[in-house]
Amino acid sequence: MANFKMHLGVAAIGSGMVATLCLGAGLASVQEVAILSLLGTIGGLLPDIDLDHSTPTRLMFTALGLLLAFLAMFFKAAHYSVLELWLVWGATYLAVRYLAWRMFSDLTSHRGIFHSLAAALFFCFLGTAIAYHQFDAPRLTAWLVGFFLLLGYIIHLALDEIYSVDFENRRLKRSFGTALKLIDSRHLNNSGMMLGFVLLLFFMTPDFSPVTDALSNANTWQQLGSHLLPQGTWFAL
């Protein structure tokens, strides 16, 4: 399987490139591009949250806790006092860093349900629902949040499958097929629970029509085409 640095680097590059396309198409602002790139990078690390007590796992939950804590504080800044914002930040961070980490540690095994497309959809719908309901993000932006988590997640799974192929000896390693799978057939109870959460979260996501409207709008593609290549001298100010 690919190591932590490989997952981090490829997810960061891939999500950054796609986020830049969203900027060129007018689907995201400069500030949103930075957040989406970060979310895609985090999505590229999420499948390994089932590695108990490992350094990457602690780093992932720490980074996720900090991100969600700051987002929760910023989006409530207009409504709460400074003391209340500090409490929101602290409660969010502690819930993610320790409570969520402990729950995942107790309920999961490595290369289990979290190395599956079902888990990728779980985080996609979860991110979309949180962005829309908790942070009052527009429907299109909320779906972009979920999409970038999904993108990073699938990049991770694909990398693990690629590293399961020994190209020099032209053989498949025993780990082949354990990463990029629909569900975890070894633990059907966990798979059934995950699919139930996916269905529940799907009904909590906002209307998908803004996404289809943006993708079917000719102006979106025209704007992307006009920003894809330089319109004169390269790097001209």
Side-chain angles (χ1 to χ4, degrees):
M1 56 183 273
N3 59 29
F4 176 76
K5 291 182 179 179
M6 178 65 71
H7 285 308
L8 178 66
V10 176
I13 293 171
S15 58
M17 293 176 66
V18 177
T20 306
L21 289 176
C22 292
L23 175 65
L27 301 179
S29 65
V30 175
Q31 293 81 3
E32 290 169 344
V33 164
I35 295 176
L36 293 175
S37 299
L38 179 59
L39 289 171
T41 304
I42 291 175
L45 302 177
L46 282 175
D48 280 344
I49 58 176
D50 52 15
L51 282 169
D52 293 344
H53 305 291
S54 67
T55 298
T57 302
R58 292 195 297 270
L59 288 175
M60 281 186 284
F61 272 95
T62 298
L64 185 62
L66 289 172
L67 173 66
L68 293 179
F70 278 112
L71 286 176
M73 185 175 67
F74 290 154
F75 278 93
K76 297 299 182 181
H79 306 286
Y80 294 160
S81 66
V82 172
L83 180 58
E84 288 172 319
L85 291 175
W86 287 346
L87 293 175
V88 167
W89 189 98
T92 303
Y93 174 77
L94 292 175
V96 174
R97 175 59 182 86
Y98 295 102
L99 180 60
W101 171 77
R102 174 53 61 186
M103 291 174 59
F104 278 116
S105 177
D106 292 342
L107 296 176
T108 62
S109 59
H110 187 48
R111 285 292 181 110
I113 188 57
F114 283 99
H115 270 74
S116 70
L117 296 177
L121 288 176
F122 167 82
F123 283 106
C124 173
F125 295 154
L126 177 64
T128 302
I130 291 176
Y132 181 71
H133 294 290
Q134 181 64 29
F135 298 133
D136 299 322
R139 290 174 295 172
L140 177 60
T141 303
W143 276 110
L144 284 175
V145 167
F147 170 75
F148 273 85
L149 287 171
L150 176 66
L151 174 65
Y153 211 100
I154 292 179
I155 287 175
H156 180 115
L157 301 184
L159 277 175
D160 278 349
E161 286 297 351
I162 292 173
Y163 271 76
S164 297
V165 180
D166 188 341
F167 291 99
E168 293 184 359
N169 293 329
R170 299 181 180 179
R171 65 182 180 88
L172 300 178
K173 300 178 182 178
R174 288 193 303 173
S175 59
F176 183 78
T178 61
L180 191 57
K181 55 185 182 291
L182 180 59
I183 60 172
D184 180 16
S185 59
R186 299 175 302 168
H187 304 91
L188 293 179
N189 288 339
N190 289 347
S191 296
M193 186 181 302
M194 178 63 74
L195 291 174
F197 281 126
V198 168
L199 184 62
L200 176 63
L201 287 170
F202 173 75
F203 287 109
M204 297 175 63
T205 58
D207 181 22
F208 195 71
S209 61
V211 180
T212 57
D213 291 343
L215 294 178
S216 61
N217 192 332
N219 291 332
T220 300
W221 301 104
Q222 290 173 358
Q223 186 168 346
L224 177 59
S226 65
H227 289 91
L228 194 59
L229 296 173
Q231 300 298 312
T233 305
W234 285 66
F235 304 111
L237 296 178

